Amino acid sequence: MSITDILDILIVSVLIYEIAKWIKNTRAWTLLKGIMLLVFVAMAAYVCQLHTISWLINNTMGVGVTAAIIVFQPELRNALEQLGRKNPIVNLFSSDESRDEKVGYTDRTLQEIVRATIEMSKVKTGALIVMEREVPLGEFERTGIPVDAKMSSQLLINIFEHNTPLHDGAVIVRNNRIVSATCYLPLSDSLEIEKELGTRHRAAVGISEVSDSVTIVVSEETGGISIAQGGRIYRGLTPQQLRDRLAVVKNDYSDGRKFRLWKGLNRNERKIRK
């Protein structure tokens, strides 16, 4: 084995590592799971001699790759921009992976969120709190202002206070910390959303359509509390109902970390959709 062979292996290893890390930190992981499912279906169709399914998959694969590039164009652009800004050697040997490690939400974090939500509901302070789960929200986090502060109800209330610099937009919560404020979220174009709901509620549904996040909304007009999850919004929640739903989210996250590699519906998720 020559020096060039070692260099070749090292370069390929770095590329594979960077691609894997990019997939982990973006919504591309969801796309990768879908591709793996299609590959499994294609193999099963080949083994079982399902010619029609094999023909459909073979003829749509090229179009699917093009569609994936179009859909994930923002992520690809950000990945190339980050590659141009950072030092690959320093980044390769850095030990800053603990920040990206997913941990379950603690009881204290949920209590602080519930306390802040109830207080803002009483005085009709509009709020939009996004709790990140398995799907990373880095692309939306970058649209806001970094906070990276320990979760507290006082800080949440102060962020959404009227006429403050950070009150407009969403707050993203990750690993029991407030990571960013004034974040822009995608608006849902679903026709099932009631016409009287405004931009804040549509943004909550929109982020729940592209991720598995749980978003808490406080209406500025009525003070009503809502939760958006899985592309649906649940309105008019009482403080106890809010606690119950967040408790289900906490238990569901813990169960998923232990027993599930593929994200799907389990008993707790079906319960929250009732």
Side-chain angles (χ1 to χ4, degrees):
M1 182 177 291
S2 62
I3 298 297
T4 56
D5 294 329
I6 297 177
L7 182 61
D8 189 24
I9 294 174
L10 180 61
I11 293 175
V12 172
S13 301
V14 171
L15 289 175
I16 294 176
Y17 171 78
E18 290 294 334
I19 292 174
K21 190 168 66 171
W22 173 74
I23 290 175
K24 171 189 173 185
N25 294 329
T26 64
R27 289 184 295 156
W29 171 239
T30 306
L31 174 65
L32 181 61
K33 290 193 295 185
I35 293 176
M36 294 174 64
L37 179 60
L38 287 178
V39 171
F40 175 78
V41 172
M43 293 176 60
Y46 176 78
V47 172
C48 299
Q49 298 297 312
L50 304 176
H51 302 293
T52 304
I53 295 179
S54 299
W55 182 86
L56 288 174
I57 293 177
N58 293 333
N59 285 273
T60 57
M61 191 64 68
V63 179
V65 172
T66 304
I69 294 176
I70 296 174
V71 171
F72 287 92
Q73 182 267 340
E75 287 87 348
L76 292 172
R77 183 184 61 192
N78 291 331
L80 293 176
E81 291 177 352
Q82 293 176 13
L83 184 63
R85 287 196 300 263
K86 65 186 179 183
N87 189 328
I89 304 299
V90 174
N91 184 75
L92 178 62
F93 294 100
S94 65
S95 59
D96 193 25
E97 295 295 327
S98 60
R99 295 180 59 188
D100 297 331
E101 182 181 356
K102 300 290 184 180
V103 296
Y105 290 106
T106 63
D107 291 332
R108 178 192 173 279
T109 296
L110 299 182
Q111 291 172 2
E112 293 295 324
I113 292 176
V114 170
R115 184 179 297 115
T117 302
I118 294 174
E119 292 299 323
M120 289 186 290
S121 175
K122 292 179 180 178
V123 295
K124 297 183 179 180
T125 299
L128 190 58
I129 306 171
V130 183
M131 300 174 62
E132 182 185 274
R133 300 173 74 194
E134 293 287 347
V135 177
L137 302 177
E139 59 180 297
F140 306 107
E141 174 190 346
R142 288 189 289 270
T143 64
I145 298 177
V147 178
D148 193 22
K150 186 177 180 181
M151 171 61 67
S152 70
S153 58
Q154 294 87 347
L155 179 56
L156 277 178
I157 294 173
N158 188 70
I159 288 176
F160 289 110
E161 188 66 33
H162 294 289
N163 300 322
T164 57
L166 301 181
H167 84 282
D168 190 19
V171 161
I172 295 180
V173 181
R174 177 194 304 125
N175 290 354
N176 301 297
R177 297 182 68 84
I178 302 173
V179 296
S180 188
T182 71
C183 299
Y184 294 102
L185 304 180
L187 298 181
S188 173
D189 55 2
S190 174
L191 299 178
E192 297 180 359
I193 301 177
E194 291 84 349
K195 298 298 183 182
E196 65 268 17
L197 296 182
T199 304
R200 186 176 285 112
H201 291 81
R202 286 193 171 271
V205 177
I207 191 65
S208 71
E209 291 174 342
V210 299
S211 71
D212 61 347
S213 61
V214 175
T215 304
I216 302 173
V217 186
V218 178
S219 173
E220 189 172 358
E221 289 75 18
T222 65
I225 301 174
S226 306
I227 278 186
Q229 184 183 15
R232 299 180 60 184
I233 189 165
Y234 307 88
R235 302 174 56 192
L237 301 181
T238 65
Q240 185 58 47
Q241 289 174 331
L242 176 63
R243 295 188 184 95
D244 294 340
R245 289 186 176 274
L246 292 185
V248 171
V249 171
K250 175 178 180 295
N251 295 333
D252 173 59
Y253 189 91
S254 302
D255 294 342
R257 295 284 293 177
K258 292 179 181 179
F259 302 112
R260 287 185 300 163
L261 175 63
W262 292 82
K263 189 66 179 171
L265 294 177
N266 66 358
R267 181 178 59 186
N268 290 326
E269 286 175 328
R270 288 194 294 269
K271 183 187 300 182
I272 200 171
R273 284 175 167 81
K274 290 184 179 179

